[in-house]
């Protein structure tokens, strides 16, 4: 249960980081261009948080396995 909770918190944190990255990209692109395609915003808003969550969970599992081997 302890490991499941840790992985859940890692996933939530990764989704938050992905969303922050999405907001940063949208703001920078909107400063460069006056308009931004709605499909681009929609795709990024779904893909980046999910990708961030998965990446952080993978890193967490990798580092917890390495810590257990030492």
């Amino acid at each position: 249960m302890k490991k499941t909770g840790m992985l859940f918190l890692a996933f939530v944190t990764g989704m938050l980081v992905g969303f922050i990255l999405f907001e940063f990209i949208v703001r920078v692109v909107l400063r460069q261009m006056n308009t931004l395609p709605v499909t681009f915003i929609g795709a990024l808003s779904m893909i980046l948080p999910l990708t961030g969550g998965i990446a952080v969970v993978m890193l967490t599992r990798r580092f917890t396995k390495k810590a257990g081997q030492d």
Side-chain angles (χ1 to χ4, degrees), residues 1-67:
M1 186 66 182
K2 181 178 176 183
K3 189 170 184 175
T4 305
M6 182 176 62
L7 292 177
F8 177 74
L9 286 176
F11 182 74
V12 170
T13 303
M15 287 191 68
L16 183 63
V17 169
F19 182 73
I20 291 170
L21 183 63
F22 158 72
E23 286 290 328
F24 178 71
I25 289 172
V26 169
R27 287 178 191 261
V28 168
V29 171
L30 280 176
R31 285 186 185 162
Q32 301 296 326
M33 303 185 311
N34 289 337
T35 60
L36 190 65
V38 175
T39 55
F40 179 70
I41 293 174
L44 279 182
S45 71
M46 290 184 293
I47 293 170
L48 280 178
L50 186 60
T51 305
I54 292 171
V56 171
V57 167
M58 288 173 53
L59 286 172
T60 303
R61 290 184 68 200
R62 184 176 188 178
F63 286 121
T64 54
K65 285 181 183 178
K66 282 188 177 180

